[in-house]
Amino acid sequence: MAEKDHLNLIITGHIDNGKSTTMGHFLMDLGVVDERTIASHAAESEKTGKGDTFKYAWVMDNIKDERERGITIDLAFQKFETKKFFFTLIDAPGHRDFIKNMITGASEADCAVLVLSAKEGETDTAVAPGGQAREHAFLLRTLGVKQLVVAINKMDAVDYKEEGYNAAVKKGTALIRSVGYKVDAVPFIPVSGWKGDNLVKRSDNMSWYKGKTLLEAFDDFKADEKPIGKPLRVPIQDVYTITGVGTVPVGRVETGKMAPGDKIIVMPSGSVGEIKSIETHHTAMPSAQAGDNIGFNLRGIDKKDIKRGDVLGTPDKPPQVAKEFKAQIIVIHHPTALAPGYTPVMHCHTAQVAATITEFLQKMNPATGAVEEENPKFLKVGDSAMVKIRPVRPTPIETFQEFPELGRFALRDMGATIAAGVVKEISEEYNP
């Protein structure tokens, strides 16, 4: 049998709308996590005085500090498989402090589940301006996560009534439409993360619902073709010095392929060298391609010429390095308003660099993209705009059209994500 395609699935939604509980229960029903583990979580949860309410959530939240605070901090990774796919499940923290993780998570995600609550009032908070469901939906859309399923959770709290589901669907539909998803392509599935309805098994409590379970909906996702035919791009995550081996950079091949003996170039230093060997999990590989996480040994590249945030490519089609670029951003969070000259920190692939928004070109309607105002004086939360950005030092970055993997970024300041965006055009290129 052919190997199943692999998809990264990110779970998003407002804090306390039940993301972790829903996915923990889903994994148990699927048999990925056994009941003993859940029972031990329940016993531990009782000890903390929280009753057993967190027993499913703890499957995802397996870091001690998270348990004590009852929130999801780091990205938890769990693997499971369906009839069609292997999935890596990324549980995105709902809490604002941790949205940085959500960005690094979403940039890797192929598809997403947005968890909303059927409980009166809970979804209103989540989809309101400043609500995390709204923020996550914006981010997913801007960061290019095209496939979405909405789980209407806590159906047990509304006695499994269709009216409760319909009211939440109405709010959820308005939200995802406003950020630009095609509503008819997004299934809304009524579930109970706590009781297990419609996660893996069809529920008897909602005979009015004729659609798919969460598990069935996951098999309707599509796997994108791997961008193997594109030029090589490997953003560097870390660089190690290993005795007897030398300099070993580590990263994920975003596009293209590479093999020992290939000539390569590291940007922005412009150093040219050759690949000596490639390995993954301490096993030598004859070649690597888009999607592989690898370590590799380079000949002819000095340790000082390669660092985290650099991008590896081939000399005939080197990675682009921008002194300035045009981008479309969405302002997610800011206490007042942004004015030109503002300098937050840009996070793009593995790079982090301070960057100045030098010019506001146009303000656009976030849902339709239509231009609403030329050269706006300031931008506030919820605004979408075309801007010019100048990193404080030349940064390897590509246009979203050509290399979506290297063309999305987040702007962060004061511990929060201020804006997310995509690169539209490199207006001033740097050549070493």
Side-chain angles (χ1 to χ4, degrees):
M1 187 188 140
E3 202 179 290
K4 293 178 183 174
D5 279 319
H6 176 260
L7 293 176
N8 285 322
L9 172 66
I10 193 163
I11 310 300
T12 61
H14 197 71
I15 193 162
D16 292 340
N17 278 10
K19 300 194 301 288
S20 297
T21 297
T22 299
M23 293 324 290
H25 202 147
F26 173 84
L27 292 170
M28 188 190 86
D29 286 356
L30 209 54
V32 177
V33 179
D34 62 21
E35 302 212 18
R36 279 196 312 271
T37 311
I38 300 277
S40 76
H41 288 331
E44 233 178 296
S45 187
E46 298 270 7
K47 274 189 223 141
T48 61
K50 293 199 160 106
D52 64 353
T53 48
F54 283 97
K55 66 182 182 188
Y56 296 119
W58 282 4
V59 173
M60 300 298 283
D61 301 350
N62 47 18
I63 300 171
K64 186 170 179 294
D65 180 48
E66 306 192 4
R67 296 188 176 180
E68 286 167 3
R69 293 165 59 189
I71 53 173
T72 307
I73 297 181
D74 215 337
L75 287 169
F77 292 96
Q78 283 280 352
K79 300 207 178 311
F80 68 92
E81 57 180 295
T82 62
K83 285 199 184 95
K84 270 176 69 177
F85 298 114
F86 276 113
F87 282 95
T88 300
L89 188 59
I90 309 169
D91 186 26
H95 221 45
R96 188 181 302 284
D97 312 350
F98 313 124
I99 206 148
K100 168 162 108 269
N101 294 354
M102 154 84 191
I103 300 265
T104 49
S107 67
E108 309 257 301
D110 301 295
C111 41
V113 177
L114 178 63
V115 179
L116 295 176
S117 168
K119 251 170 123 171
E120 189 69 48
E122 285 193 349
T123 291
D124 295 327
T125 310
V127 302
Q132 283 152 349
R134 170 169 296 272
E135 183 169 16
H136 289 179
F138 260 133
L139 277 173
L140 290 170
R141 183 77 187 111
T142 306
L143 295 170
V145 180
K146 297 184 197 72
Q147 310 185 69
L148 183 68
V149 165
V150 178
I152 305 289
N153 189 29
K154 305 197 184 183
M155 286 303 297
D156 54 303
V158 295
D159 300 324
Y160 299 107
K161 287 199 170 66
E162 190 171 4
E163 300 83 65
Y165 166 77
N166 288 342
V169 168
K170 194 174 165 192
K171 293 165 193 164
T173 302
L175 170 65
I176 65 167
R177 181 181 286 127
S178 76
V179 302
Y181 280 102
K182 290 190 175 65
V183 175
D184 48 5
V186 178
F188 284 79
I189 302 171
V191 302
S192 165
W194 181 239
K195 302 283 195 201
D197 299 88
N198 281 347
L199 300 177
V200 172
K201 297 187 276 292
R202 184 159 294 287
S203 166
D204 296 333
N205 293 316
M206 295 176 273
S207 53
W208 48 264
Y209 173 70
K210 302 290 184 258
K212 299 192 171 187
T213 61
L214 200 56
L215 178 64
E216 289 167 338
F218 288 168
D219 269 343
D220 286 340
F221 286 136
K222 300 203 173 20
D224 275 345
E225 286 293 301
K226 283 188 176 162
I228 296 163
K230 285 187 175 178
L232 179 70
R233 295 290 183 267
V234 187
I236 305 302
Q237 274 158 15
D238 285 296
V239 180
Y240 299 103
T241 304
I242 297 173
T243 317
V245 180
T247 303
V248 178
V250 172
R252 172 183 153 112
V253 184
E254 291 294 355
T255 58
K257 46 186 188 279
M258 59 193 262
D262 287 358
K263 288 265 180 287
I264 53 95
I265 186 166
V266 179
M267 297 302 270
S269 71
S271 291
V272 176
E274 151 178 340
I275 296 166
K276 219 156 82 180
S277 61
I278 305 173
E279 62 165 58
T280 185
H281 306 301
H282 307 292
T283 311
M285 296 170 75
S287 66
Q289 62 177 38
D292 292 337
N293 289 298
I294 55 167
F296 45 95
N297 191 214
L298 296 173
R299 191 181 283 126
I301 304 271
D302 201 308
K303 177 140 177 27
K304 69 174 187 345
D305 289 332
I306 184 164
K307 61 183 188 311
R308 181 183 167 90
D310 289 355
V311 178
L312 191 82
T314 52
D316 60 329
K317 295 230 172 88
Q320 285 195 288
V321 179
K323 282 184 168 180
E324 184 184 71
F325 61 91
K326 280 186 195 169
Q328 183 179 351
I329 63 167
I330 289 174
V331 183
I332 296 163
H333 171 73
H334 196 269
T336 53
L338 274 57
Y342 176 58
T343 306
V345 175
M346 176 173 83
H347 294 246
C348 175
H349 55 87
T350 57
Q352 290 181 19
V353 56
T356 304
I357 310 178
T358 53
E359 224 181 307
F360 295 173
L361 303 169
Q362 293 166 327
K363 192 161 99 177
M364 285 119 96
N365 179 313
T368 63
V371 175
E372 290 181 339
E373 189 185 338
E374 297 287 344
N375 306 111
K377 297 277 183 289
F378 61 89
L379 298 172
K380 56 186 193 320
V381 171
D383 285 348
S384 176
M386 199 66 81
V387 299
K388 273 192 181 169
I389 295 179
R390 188 172 266 277
V392 294
R393 58 174 187 272
T395 303
I397 198 165
E398 306 274 354
T399 63
F400 186 72
Q401 300 87 297
E402 277 190 87
F403 293 93
E405 305 78 7
L406 301 161
R408 342 176 222 243
F409 61 90
L411 299 175
R412 290 180 51 81
D413 191 8
M414 308 168 292
T417 300
I418 304 299
V422 294
V423 179
K424 290 292 193 187
E425 181 193 322
I426 293 174
S427 46
E428 193 181 332
E429 201 168 348
Y430 167 81
N431 294 304

